[in-house]
Amino acid sequence: MSFLKRFRALPYIDLFFFIPLTFLFYTLHRYAEPVPGSLFYPGFFLQFFLGFVPQLYQRKWGRILTATAALVTVRISAFTGLESLGSYQLVGLFMGSVLGIWTRETILVLLGRGEMALPKQSDHLLVDWMIRNPTGKAIQSIPYSNLFGLLCFLLFLLVLSFLKLQGFGLLQGLGFQESMYFGTLSSREAFGFVSKILVSLGFVVLYFFSEERNLPTPSKDSLLEQLRFGILVGLTINILVFVSQSIWGVRFFGIGTGESLVLGRSSGFFTDSGSSSWILPVLSLLFIGKWVGLYRKTKERFLLLLVFSLICLVSFLGFTQGKAFWLVWVVPIWIGIIHITTDIFIPTGWKKQTTRIGLYILSPISFWAIFYGISLLTFDVSLVVLAKRMIGAVSVWKHGLFQTLISLDLTRAELIQIGWEGFLKHPWVGNGIASFPLEILDPNRIGTKLTLKFVDFPPNFFLFLLHDLGILGSLIFVFLISILVWERQTGSQILLLLLPFLFGVQIQHAEGAFVFAYLLLFPERGVGLSFSFEKYRRTIWFSPLLLILFIGLPINFVLFSSQNYITQGVGADFRKSELGEYQLGASFPATAGSQFHEFHGTIWEWKLGTVGTGNFTLFTEGKNNQLEFHFYNVDHKLIQKVLCKETGSGYVWNGAIPGGAAYVRLTAKKRIQAKIPKSHFDSANRLLL
């Protein structure tokens, strides 16, 4: 085949879909985290090459190392002394992996892979590379994949977030303004909360989607097995670090974990103890279930020894974890013990089920007795603290559910109350994704106040859905997840997330989003469609119907939700009623000792104040630019355009304001960094000309 034909055979649809989305998520992350490159890029490039190079070399090792790195490199920047600025959302890792996948596939197509029969092995470098990476083939087109529906919903939530945090000025040519959302919180800073949810989860879904688009047919290398092995390696490394922290203290590899160090909790290589308190038990339970299933088939006793050893080791490590660890860990272990013992000692069906039901009924009493005994201990560990609080909560149960929650955890109870109050304000469409921290920071919010100064997401994933997405948005999310669970038969794995989701928004950290997506997408019996789902997919109407729902439901949700943001104003008027002043748009407003506001960008809009001397001065080192004033009336209709004159130190304008002008926009042909004297603005940020 000629090179031109190979060029035409490239997977253009996939390339034009995945690569722009990859750079979109990267750009959004940098927008939310505009830290200097010297702080960002060291950790970013470490992760990037861990993802890119193995994927470029071989599909197998790319998957293994990506899965391992997702669990151990989230704080890699902190070990270089730069905190976790370039690594905590694993942007570099997943960007490198996605670009590595599509770079590999592109080069192999151009080299003519699949045009001739390949030997089993070869000393020729390029032939050996082709052997290691057999031809991949997607099962169906991108729009008909169910992961496309989840990605669509995430992208529409991004659009909705920008409408909330930037207003409708985006649709009127103002671009992304450096606007203030509260008096001390900018829209860019507020988007940082959105980024923690949507960028982290979006990159993970994009990576898994890319892997599934390149499955070899027939598949000699199992995507599931390689990802599972990588996760096992990552879990093992973390367990070794946990053991080391138990021996030498939590400061061993503990830099960058924040409050976890203060509380004396070990975090392994995870973001903090909040992540480790659920990822450690959930992944351990996943492999315990796998090994128990293998034992039932093979009767290999070493597997039972492995299971028993892991249970003992993880239980020991739990003493330096948070209180949520014990509920996430003990309850499934107890259920597993009931099932295994009844399987061994009671072979008859009806006796087995009756015994299990009886044990389930007696379980709360047994747990209460165990916790009561533990509460009498004097050790200062999370399990004893949890036991004392649960026993104490029994005595206040008669005073109501809220008082019981307060006795268990005051901060968590107040956060639940704030979340419920927020849900009641907008029960159908919610308050917007990642809006809960904004509720806490809102100085004008009426309702429950936090006793301790604490900014976080809701302490419950289901409350997070209701507060942020409302009833309609939550139903759309549940619909998309249900379709994936039905298609991939991962219901039993999703149950592992039920208890962790009761104690937090576990997808807010990148490694948590990775574990969530893995459990959702990859069942233990391999990648493939369920029989019932495949039966419907072969019909003419089912796939088009899903595609309509994947696009139509999010669009309608955005249309309904965005009505709440229409009244926020545009440009200089954005959130004027909440702020009590107009938008300044400065990247760095003047401080107490400074006489200048600093502006970065190409366009700004200000409300005109009282007429001054008719002079305007802007200082910048950038030259060969073109700056214009555009005057608008109260209806934002253009009245006049005038050029600013270039000087040695910047640009000036002298003249009279046209009649009827209420707003003015300053536009630059090229991006500039400029300083404007704060004397040009009054106390309400109106421009004085």
Side-chain angles (χ1 to χ4, degrees):
M1 183 183 294
S2 66
F3 182 80
L4 182 59
K5 290 183 178 180
R6 294 174 184 172
F7 191 77
R8 291 174 178 172
L10 288 174
Y12 286 108
I13 295 177
D14 294 82
L15 293 174
F16 290 146
F17 178 80
F18 287 99
I19 293 179
L21 279 181
T22 300
F23 282 97
L24 171 65
F25 285 127
Y26 167 78
T27 303
L28 292 173
H29 174 72
R30 289 296 284 149
Y31 169 76
E33 304 285 345
V35 296
S38 59
L39 299 177
F40 175 80
Y41 287 113
F44 171 82
F45 279 120
L46 279 172
Q47 288 185 343
F48 183 88
F49 287 112
L50 280 173
F52 183 83
V53 175
Q55 289 285 3
L56 186 64
Y57 169 66
Q58 186 180 3
R59 192 179 281 123
K60 171 184 176 181
W61 288 108
R63 294 165 179 171
I64 292 173
L65 290 179
T66 298
T68 300
L71 299 180
V72 300
T73 65
V74 70
R75 287 189 291 112
I76 196 170
S77 297
F79 303 134
T80 66
L82 299 177
E83 300 182 359
S84 299
L85 297 176
S87 64
Y88 79 99
Q89 282 190 288
L90 297 177
V91 172
L93 176 67
F94 292 120
M95 186 175 185
S97 294
V98 174
L99 294 181
I101 289 170
W102 293 109
T103 301
R104 179 192 68 220
E105 296 303 313
T106 299
I107 295 175
L108 287 172
V109 170
L110 294 177
L111 290 176
R113 180 191 60 182
E115 296 178 12
M116 59 181 178
L118 296 173
K120 293 185 178 180
Q121 59 183 10
S122 173
D123 294 331
H124 193 278
L125 181 62
L126 292 180
V127 175
D128 180 66
W129 188 35
M130 293 183 189
I131 295 171
R132 293 176 182 273
N133 297 282
T135 304
K137 183 179 180 181
I139 300 175
Q140 64 266 329
S141 61
I142 289 176
Y144 288 140
S145 171
N146 292 333
L147 280 176
F148 175 77
L150 184 56
L151 267 177
C152 272
F153 189 51
L154 296 179
L155 292 173
F156 278 112
L157 290 179
L158 278 172
V159 172
L160 196 58
S161 298
F162 275 113
L163 291 178
K164 176 182 179 179
L165 300 176
Q166 289 279 342
F168 284 83
L170 284 168
L171 306 180
Q172 297 191 12
L174 286 173
F176 297 103
Q177 295 287 295
E178 294 289 350
S179 54
M180 299 301 294
Y181 196 75
F182 296 135
T184 57
L185 184 76
S186 70
S187 294
R188 183 190 292 267
E189 292 170 321
F191 185 78
F193 297 115
V194 177
S195 174
K196 291 186 70 174
I197 299 293
L198 296 185
V199 172
S200 296
L201 186 57
F203 256 125
V204 171
V205 174
L206 202 63
Y207 164 67
F208 284 136
F209 201 180
S210 296
E211 289 283 18
E212 291 191 355
R213 297 293 296 175
N214 291 284
L215 288 176
T217 307
S219 180
K220 296 181 180 179
D221 53 339
S222 170
L223 172 60
L224 168 66
E225 291 178 358
Q226 290 156 8
L227 288 174
R228 185 200 298 138
F229 180 73
I231 290 174
L232 179 60
V233 173
L235 177 63
T236 302
I237 293 173
N238 273 286
I239 288 177
L240 291 175
V241 177
F242 281 124
V243 172
S244 301
Q245 290 175 335
S246 300
I247 298 173
W248 291 295
V250 295
R251 292 189 176 275
F252 183 81
F253 282 117
I255 185 172
T257 56
E259 289 295 319
S260 299
L261 282 177
V262 178
L263 298 173
R265 296 175 180 172
S266 58
S267 305
F269 279 141
F270 297 119
T271 301
D272 53 26
S273 61
S275 292
S276 63
S277 292
W278 76 271
I279 295 178
L280 174 62
V282 164
L283 291 183
S284 299
L285 289 168
L286 181 68
F287 287 105
I288 287 172
K290 175 67 176 178
W291 295 334
V292 169
L294 287 176
Y295 168 76
R296 288 178 171 175
K297 294 179 180 178
T298 64
K299 303 301 179 182
E300 177 61 54
R301 294 185 178 181
F302 174 74
L303 291 170
L304 286 183
L305 177 62
L306 200 60
V307 168
F308 180 75
S309 301
L310 184 59
I311 291 175
C312 293
L313 179 58
V314 174
S315 299
F316 168 73
L317 297 177
F319 288 105
T320 56
Q321 297 299 306
K323 296 181 289 295
F325 167 87
W326 294 104
L327 295 176
V328 175
W329 176 244
V330 171
V331 172
I333 291 293
W334 180 254
I335 294 174
I337 290 173
I338 290 176
H339 277 253
I340 291 175
T341 53
T342 51
D343 282 340
I344 294 174
F345 298 107
I346 309 176
T348 308
W350 70 270
K351 289 183 179 180
K352 181 189 298 185
Q353 299 302 326
T354 304
T355 305
R356 286 178 178 176
I357 293 172
L359 291 173
Y360 287 144
I361 295 173
L362 293 174
S363 293
I365 301 174
S366 303
F367 276 117
W368 185 89
I370 293 171
F371 276 117
Y372 179 77
I374 295 174
S375 68
L376 300 177
L377 301 175
T378 57
F379 299 109
D380 186 19
V381 294
S382 59
L383 179 59
V384 176
V385 174
L386 175 64
K388 290 181 178 180
R389 290 188 180 183
M390 293 191 70
I391 296 302
V394 175
S395 61
V396 299
W397 177 262
K398 59 185 177 182
H399 299 296
L401 178 60
F402 187 63
Q403 291 300 319
T404 305
L405 291 174
I406 289 178
S407 65
L408 286 170
D409 191 322
L410 174 60
T411 301
R412 186 175 293 271
E414 291 174 341
L415 290 173
I416 291 175
Q417 187 73 4
I418 292 172
W420 185 250
E421 292 170 356
F423 165 68
L424 293 179
K425 287 195 301 183
H426 301 287
W428 290 106
V429 296
N431 298 275
I433 193 71
S435 60
F436 187 82
L438 303 182
E439 289 272 342
I440 298 175
L441 294 170
D442 187 355
N444 301 318
R445 186 180 62 83
I446 299 174
T448 303
K449 303 293 184 181
L450 284 175
T451 304
L452 301 175
K453 291 185 178 180
F454 189 75
V455 179
D456 200 358
F457 290 94
N460 182 288
F461 183 79
F462 308 104
L463 179 61
F464 158 76
L465 289 179
L466 290 174
H467 178 277
D468 287 13
L469 304 181
I471 296 174
L472 296 179
S474 298
L475 289 176
I476 295 174
F477 180 80
V478 171
F479 165 74
L480 295 172
I481 297 300
S482 300
I483 290 294
L484 288 168
V485 170
W486 177 25
E487 177 193 29
R488 295 156 187 269
Q489 305 177 81
T490 53
S492 58
Q493 292 181 184
I494 288 298
L495 290 177
L496 289 174
L497 297 172
L498 181 60
L499 287 173
F501 279 178
L502 292 176
F503 299 102
V505 183
Q506 310 300 4
I507 61 173
Q508 64 175 295
H509 294 146
E511 73 271 38
F514 177 81
V515 173
F516 163 74
Y518 173 79
L519 294 176
L520 173 66
L521 301 177
F522 300 103
E524 280 304 308
R525 52 178 164 270
V527 178
L529 305 178
S530 70
F531 176 78
S532 59
F533 189 89
E534 179 68 11
K535 176 182 176 182
Y536 282 103
R537 171 158 274 172
R538 290 174 179 172
T539 62
I540 298 176
W541 58 271
F542 186 70
S543 292
L545 175 62
L546 285 182
L547 178 59
I548 292 171
L549 294 175
F550 288 161
I551 298 176
L553 290 177
I555 287 178
N556 280 279
F557 179 71
V558 169
L559 291 176
F560 280 115
S561 301
S562 59
Q563 295 178 26
N564 296 329
Y565 312 140
I566 293 176
T567 58
Q568 291 188 124
V570 175
D573 290 330
F574 178 61
R575 291 183 62 81
K576 177 184 177 296
S577 58
E578 290 83 2
L579 296 170
E581 61 185 17
Y582 294 93
Q583 293 289 344
L584 176 63
S587 300
F588 299 98
T591 57
S594 174
Q595 298 300 317
F596 296 92
H597 300 299
E598 186 170 336
F599 297 81
H600 298 178
T602 58
I603 184 169
W604 300 269
E605 179 180 284
W606 298 292
K607 174 71 174 178
L608 285 172
T610 56
V611 178
T613 60
N615 297 319
F616 174 81
T617 304
L618 178 146
F619 299 95
T620 180
E621 296 180 358
K623 301 298 180 181
N624 300 319
N625 207 334
Q626 179 178 308
L627 270 66
E628 293 182 342
F629 269 140
H630 297 181
F631 293 95
Y632 293 83
N633 62 16
V634 292
D635 296 322
H636 279 85
K637 302 295 184 181
L638 181 63
I639 299 176
Q640 183 181 357
K641 295 182 181 181
V642 293
L643 280 172
C644 296
K645 181 180 179 181
E646 184 175 342
T647 64
S649 58
Y651 293 83
V652 297
W653 174 80
N654 298 288
I657 299 175
Y663 300 91
V664 62
R665 291 183 185 179
L666 177 65
T667 66
K669 191 173 183 179
K670 298 183 295 185
R671 180 179 176 85
I672 63 170
Q673 297 184 18
K675 293 183 179 181
I676 300 176
K678 65 179 183 181
S679 58
H680 277 316
F681 300 89
D682 63 14
S683 59
N685 294 328
R686 288 173 293 201
L687 182 65
L688 305 177
L689 292 178

